[in-house]
Amino acid sequence: MSAAHQRPSHPSSGRPRALDVVNAYVGLMKPRIIELLLLTTVPVMFLAAEGVPGLGVVLATLVGGTLSAGSANALNCVFDADIDQQMRRTRRRPLPRHAVTTRSALVFGLVLGVVSTLWLGFLVNWLSAGLALAANVFYVVGYTMLLKRRTSQNIVWGGAAGCFPALIGWTAVTGELAWPPVVLFLVVFFWTPPHFWALAIRYREDYAAADVPMLPSIAPATVVARKIVAYSYAMVLTSLVLWPLTPTGWFYPTAAVVLGAAFLVEAHRLQARARISSELSVLKPMRLFHWSNAYLALLFVAAAIDPFLR
């Protein structure tokens, strides 16, 4: 490990400003990813409570979930520092910029993991704590260390770590697992490939340069688009399974149909553009990526609102 990789960068004064240090550690946690994870946690808590869950358990779950996801993301930054250095999308992260040392980032990630597990265990319940820890380990070991650099199916299976918030939100309220959160787990599971592959199309040259076999970097755009459409149908059909399993009213299934139809239209449009050209200016993959974020947020919000409209 190079000395430059170990030394954090300093301003001319020789001492890093406190705000810069704080921002660097926050950056290791990847807060934008955490926002999306929490957005799938809280609505499930409303669904599980069939109304408004206790404020205390919501806050405790949000804090614990933030710390747990931040731990996984920080450890991911440690093991992927060489990749992040090469990719335009990630080279401004704290480790490639040498804003923190590798050792400090590793300790930070491990401490967050321990604290988050104890926090959720004592303030929520140990089932939720165990699920959060399992998601953390699966993301770091399963995805980052084992799958990401070895197979084009990396995000398909590795992305399962991002599905756990649905289980955690439910168990935080009920203390037990059930079929409804499993269905929502699967919705996120099938949502992840279309979501991430759309982004990876945009940065396929970066993945190729970093020797990461992300599907869009090793397969033609037509193949990627066809798989995106297939996973999109699986996602939409799975979202409709929640209706008979949970005593939802009319609102959730209506929202699931409308949102799913819009998602499928956008996926098919990407497939149609892929048949014309593989150029990014024609493919416009970020349209599907941005819509995928909106789709997931609105679907889970619909699940949270439904109990109030019965």
Side-chain angles (χ1 to χ4, degrees), residues 259 262-263 266 286-295 298:
L259 292 170
F263 196 106
E266 195 61 49
M286 296 304 286
R287 286 181 52 174
L288 180 62
F289 173 77
H290 291 307
W291 170 240
S292 68
N293 286 327
Y295 167 84
L298 292 173

Side-chain angles (χ1 to χ4, degrees), residues 216-239:
S217 70
I218 63 173
T222 51
V223 173
V224 179
R226 184 173 69 246
K227 290 181 178 292
I228 284 176
V229 169
Y231 276 99
S232 298
Y233 273 100
M235 174 194 71
V236 173
L237 292 174
T238 303
S239 72

Side-chain angles (χ1 to χ4, degrees), residues 53-68:
L55 179 60
V57 72
V58 172
L59 291 177
T61 304
L62 287 177
V63 172
T66 297
L67 296 177
S68 181

Side-chain angles (χ1 to χ4, degrees), residues 90-103:
T90 56
R91 63 178 51 152
R92 295 302 299 166
R93 286 177 178 171
L95 283 175
R97 290 189 295 109
H98 311 302
V100 296
T101 66
T102 301
R103 178 178 297 178

Side-chain angles (χ1 to χ4, degrees), residues 95-144:
L95 283 175
R97 290 189 295 109
H98 311 302
V100 296
T101 66
T102 301
R103 178 178 297 178
S104 296
L106 178 61
V107 171
F108 178 66
L110 292 174
V111 169
L112 283 183
V114 172
V115 172
S116 65
T117 302
L118 295 176
W119 175 280
L120 289 169
F122 285 113
L123 298 183
V124 182
N125 59 60
W126 288 104
L127 177 56
S128 297
L131 289 168
L133 180 60
N136 189 333
V137 172
F138 188 79
Y139 182 68
V140 175
V141 178
Y143 172 65
T144 303

